[in-house]
Amino acid sequence: MNIGEAFRSASDGISAHKMRSGLTMLGIMFGVGAVIAMLSIGAGAARQAQSFIDRMGLRNLLVRAKQLRPDELQAARKKSLGVSMRDADAIREAVPGVEVVAPRLKVQPWKVQASAKAGDGPSIVNRTDATVYGVSHLLRDLVALPLAEGRFIDGADEKDHAQVCVIGAAVRRALFAYGPALGQPLRVNDLWCEVIGVVADAGAAVPTGAEAAAAGSPAREIYMPVTTASRKLEHEPLASPLDEILVKLAPHVQSREAAAVVRTLVDGLHGGVDDYEIVVPEALLEQSRQTQGLFNIVMGCIAGISLLVGGIGIMNIMLASVLERTREIGVRRAIGADQGDITLQFIVEAFSISALGGLMGVVIGVGIARTVSLYARWPTVVTATSIVLALGVSMAVGILSGLYPAVRASRVQPIQALRYE
C-alpha cells in the first residue's frame, strides 16, 4: 500500500462514519482555534504595548501627575503645586545628561468644531471627538510626528501664547473633509485657533474612535502651545498645572539612574508629597516582555490541554475502529498486506482526522480573533507562525494518537481476524 492508497482508504473511512469523525474532530478544532485566538490576542497586546512605548520613546523619562482623590488633592496642594513648569526648568538645569525637556498638558475638550464649505454652498459646522494637548515646541524632538501639511508649533508660538494648533489626519477629515485645512479656524471649547499644520498618517489607514484612543494614535489628536492651553483654557482649580513632562536623555545615560536623580529633585520641589510618578519606558518594555512571555506560557498550556483532549478522542475512536474492522484487517493480511501497510493505513486515517480538524480550527481561531477585535475594540494579530504552529501541533497529536491503534491493528493475526464476529 502506497501513501496515496492510504489517503484514499482514510477518506473512505471518514466518509462512511461522518458523524463519528466530525465529533472526533471537535477536540482538535477547538484546541487549534484556542491556540490561534490566544496567540493573536497576545500578539495584539504586545504590538499595542510596543506602540505605546515607541510613542513615549525608549530613551525618555516621563514625570507624570498622579490622579488623586479630592481630599488627597486638597492636602497635597498645601505643600506642592503639582507637576509644573518649575519642575521642567529644574530638571533641565540640574539633571546631568538631559537633552530635551518638553512639558505637556492634556485638555478636557467638551467641544471641537470647525466650519467647512463645499463649493458655493453654505458652510457646515462639523464636530468631532479628539484628544487635545498643550505641548512644547520641542515635542517633535522626542516623538515622531511627521507633517503632511504646514508646520509644527515653534518657540515664538509658545512664547506669544499664540492661538494656533496642529491637527491629526482623522481630525482634519472629520472637520474639513477634503477641503483646505491650513489657515482655517478651529474651535476647542471656547478658544478659536488657526490650523497651521496637519500630522501625516504615514500612508496607513487612519484609526477612529476607541481604536485610535487605545492605540494612542496622533490621527485624532490636536496640539497647541502649552502656554496657550495653560493660560486660555479652563482647568480644574486644584489640578496639576501640567499632566506630564517628557525628558529625553543622552545616549550614554542610564535611564534608571537618571530616574533616581529626577525623583530626588522633584521630591524636594514637591515637599515630599507623592503627587507624581516617574515612568521609565525601558523598564516598561522589559516588564511587558516578561508579562507577554508568561501569558504565552499560560495560554499555551491551556490550548495544549485542549489538543491533548482531542488527541485522546482520536485514539479512542481509532481503537474502536480497529475492533470494528478486524475482519477487514484479516482480509487485507490474507491477500498480501504486511504489518507496515496496516500501520500506515490507520496512522494516515488518524492524521487525516486531525488535519481536517486543524484546518477547521484555523477558521474558528481567525473568526474568534476578528470578533474580539471588532466588538471588544482590542487589537489582534493573526500571524502565519501561529497558524503553522497550531496546525503542526494538531497533526503531531493526530499521528501520536493514531500510532498505538495502528500498531495494535498491525499485530492482529490473519486467521484470528477472519474468524472475528
Side-chain angles (χ1 to χ4, degrees):
M1 176 181 285
N2 58 36
I3 192 70
E5 292 173 341
F7 274 106
R8 283 193 293 273
S9 175
S11 177
D12 293 339
I14 293 173
S15 300
H17 303 89
K18 294 184 178 66
M19 178 64 73
R20 185 176 71 182
S21 299
L23 293 174
T24 305
M25 292 177 190
L26 286 178
I28 296 296
M29 288 168 55
F30 291 131
V32 170
V35 170
I36 293 175
M38 292 174 182
L39 289 178
S40 67
I41 292 172
R47 179 173 293 185
Q48 183 179 1
Q50 184 65 54
S51 174
F52 176 70
I53 292 170
D54 287 343
R55 288 208 66 201
M56 290 193 295
L58 194 60
R59 297 296 309 162
N60 297 344
L61 298 177
L62 280 80
V63 181
R64 181 175 292 169
K66 280 187 176 181
Q67 297 295 324
L68 302 177
R69 298 195 307 269
D71 57 328
E72 294 176 334
L73 194 58
Q74 290 182 357
R77 290 298 169 262
K78 294 178 181 179
K79 295 183 179 180
S80 169
L81 294 174
V83 178
S84 64
M85 292 298 297
R86 182 180 67 170
D87 299 329
D89 294 337
I91 292 171
R92 184 184 299 109
E93 295 173 3
V95 179
V98 170
E99 292 186 342
V100 179
V101 177
R104 183 158 68 178
L105 171 63
K106 185 175 182 180
V107 178
Q108 300 298 329
W110 48 266
K111 181 185 293 184
V112 177
Q113 68 178 44
S115 298
K117 188 172 183 179
D120 297 329
S123 297
I124 300 174
V125 177
N126 294 323
R127 295 179 173 84
T128 188
D129 295 324
T131 305
V132 182
Y133 289 106
V135 300
S136 167
H137 68 282
L138 300 173
L139 179 67
R140 292 187 73 194
D141 294 336
L142 291 90
V143 179
L145 288 173
L147 296 181
E149 304 175 58
R151 64 176 179 86
F152 198 71
I153 296 163
D154 59 24
D157 296 327
E158 191 173 343
K159 181 179 179 181
D160 297 338
H161 307 84
Q163 295 180 198
V164 296
C165 65
V166 177
I167 61 177
V171 175
R172 183 200 190 286
R173 294 178 188 180
L175 295 180
F176 304 105
Y178 295 97
L182 296 183
Q184 297 298 316
L186 179 151
R187 183 180 181 184
V188 177
N189 297 347
D190 291 326
L191 180 68
W192 286 96
C193 301
E194 177 187 349
V195 177
I196 60 171
V198 179
V199 179
D201 60 8
V206 178
T208 59
E211 182 182 353
S217 170
R220 300 203 65 85
E221 294 179 349
I222 298 175
Y223 308 97
M224 63 176 62
V226 64
T227 51
T228 304
S230 177
R231 176 171 294 187
K232 298 184 178 182
L233 288 173
E234 294 183 359
H235 306 280
E236 292 293 333
L238 297 178
S240 179
L242 299 174
D243 284 282
E244 60 186 17
I245 300 171
L246 289 78
V247 181
K248 182 179 179 181
L249 303 174
H252 65 277
V253 177
Q254 295 295 323
S255 57
R256 299 191 184 190
E257 295 178 1
V261 176
V262 170
R263 185 179 301 279
T264 301
L265 175 64
V266 178
D267 269 343
L269 294 173
H270 287 225
V273 176
D274 186 22
D275 59 351
Y276 73 96
E277 61 182 348
I278 297 179
V279 180
V280 183
E282 187 176 5
L284 286 180
L285 179 60
E286 181 180 343
Q287 183 179 4
S288 174
R289 288 172 177 169
Q290 292 175 353
T291 303
Q292 181 64 27
L294 180 60
F295 176 86
N296 288 338
I297 292 173
V298 173
M299 294 299 101
C301 290
I302 294 173
I305 292 172
S306 300
L307 289 173
L308 178 61
V309 171
I312 293 173
I314 292 177
M315 182 180 292
N316 185 36
I317 293 301
M318 293 305 299
L319 286 172
S321 180
V322 168
L323 291 177
E324 286 181 359
R325 298 160 64 181
T326 299
R327 286 183 63 83
E328 176 191 333
I329 295 170
V331 172
R332 287 181 178 272
R333 291 296 304 277
I335 62 177
D338 57 20
Q339 290 186 346
D341 293 331
I342 302 300
T343 302
L344 179 63
Q345 175 188 348
F346 282 91
I347 286 180
V348 168
E349 185 168 335
F351 173 82
S352 300
I353 291 174
S354 65
L356 288 173
L359 291 173
M360 295 179 186
V362 169
V363 176
I364 292 174
V366 172
I368 293 173
R370 293 288 181 262
T371 302
V372 169
S373 179
L374 181 63
Y375 290 102
R377 298 293 185 180
W378 184 269
T380 58
V381 181
V382 179
T383 63
T385 302
S386 65
I387 294 175
V388 171
L389 175 63
L391 282 177
V393 172
S394 69
M395 293 176 184
V397 167
I399 293 174
L400 293 175
S401 300
L403 187 60
Y404 172 71
V407 172
R408 182 171 177 175
S410 69
R411 292 178 178 175
V412 174
Q413 296 299 320
I415 299 300
Q416 295 177 356
L418 289 172
R419 290 177 179 175
Y420 185 81
E421 295 294 337

